[in-house]
Amino acid sequence: SETLNLWANPAERLEVLEELQRTGRLLPREVTIRPKSDEIRTILFSVEQISWKGEPCLVTSSVDISERKLAEEALSEREQKLNTILNLLPVGISILDQDRKVAYSNDALGKILGTTKEGLSSGKYRNRKYLRADGSEKPAEEFASSRVFAEKTALYDIITGIVKEDAQTVWTNVSAVP
């Protein structure tokens, strides 16, 4: 295949040729090529050895995914920057998914609550309790997050006491946005 001669990484080309010889096929994989324009491109490349009219043939497929790869890299870089910023804040932040499980939390939230990110995402707290501003126990349906899911409106400055695993109470000012 002409594509095999355009590869930018000779070691990658050799690896693919060895796999083709060994198995007769190549599952889709990302490879870098350098076409005549001399601009390095990323393609999704696959090969299948078949028999056609009694003769062995190679069927190849290649799709240029260069733009997608650039977009993914830019998105990953922005995500890393945002994560760095969120972890610098002294404010606890969490994002809940549709099932009301913690999909993201910053480092400050774990410190405030005295738990790890894994502890937050698992949602399993043996001794954790939540309190209303008057000190009485707060049922789950009164949590700011529960109310936001139910009412579909933002809530601000909800005073909530959290009795941590070590029995210490931390008073928080919670805001939640759908």
Side-chain angles (χ1 to χ4, degrees), residues 6 11 43 54 123 132 149 163:
L6 300 175
I43 62 170
R132 295 182 182 116
F149 272 102
V163 181

Side-chain angles (χ1 to χ4, degrees), residues 8 31 42 48 68 99 137 153 163:
V31 296
T42 302
E48 182 78 33
R68 184 185 86 192
D99 298 322
E137 195 159 334
T153 186
V163 181

Side-chain angles (χ1 to χ4, degrees), residues 28 39 41 81 104 115 146 152 160 171:
E39 175 187 2
R41 308 294 292 172
K81 287 177 182 176
Y104 171 85
T115 188
S146 297
K152 308 281 190 252
T160 302
W171 287 97

Side-chain angles (χ1 to χ4, degrees), residues 23-35:
T23 66
R25 67 187 300 197
L26 177 70
L27 297 174
R29 73 166 62 192
E30 293 178 10
V31 296
T32 53
I33 63 168
R34 186 186 305 272

Side-chain angles (χ1 to χ4, degrees), residues 6 25 31 41 66 77 82 89 98 109 123 126 130 175:
L6 300 175
R25 67 187 300 197
V31 296
R41 308 294 292 172
S66 301
E77 183 179 324
L82 178 61
L89 295 174
Q98 294 294 335
L109 184 62
R126 292 183 310 261
Y130 295 87
S175 294

Side-chain angles (χ1 to χ4, degrees), residues 17-110:
L17 290 172
E18 287 173 352
E19 185 173 333
L20 278 171
Q21 286 177 333
R22 192 174 62 255
T23 66
R25 67 187 300 197
L26 177 70
L27 297 174
R29 73 166 62 192
E30 293 178 10
V31 296
T32 53
I33 63 168
R34 186 186 305 272
K36 293 176 183 166
S37 67
D38 216 31
E39 175 187 2
I40 292 183
R41 308 294 292 172
T42 302
I43 62 170
L44 188 60
F45 184 70
S46 65
V47 179
E48 182 78 33
Q49 185 174 358
I50 65 167
S51 178
W52 189 56
K53 295 184 179 181
E55 297 291 323
C57 297
L58 293 178
V59 176
T60 64
S61 170
S62 58
V63 178
D64 188 336
I65 59 170
S66 301
E67 303 305 319
R68 184 185 86 192
K69 290 296 291 180
L70 289 173
E72 287 172 355
E73 289 167 8
L75 180 62
S76 177
E77 183 179 324
R78 283 191 300 271
E79 186 177 305
Q80 287 174 347
K81 287 177 182 176
L82 178 61
N83 195 42
T84 298
I85 291 168
L86 292 176
N87 279 321
L88 288 173
L89 295 174
V91 175
I93 298 173
S94 65
I95 298 173
L96 305 183
D97 63 18
Q98 294 294 335
D99 298 322
R100 301 180 188 181
K101 298 203 184 298
V102 178
Y104 171 85
S105 64
N106 68 346
D107 294 341
L109 184 62

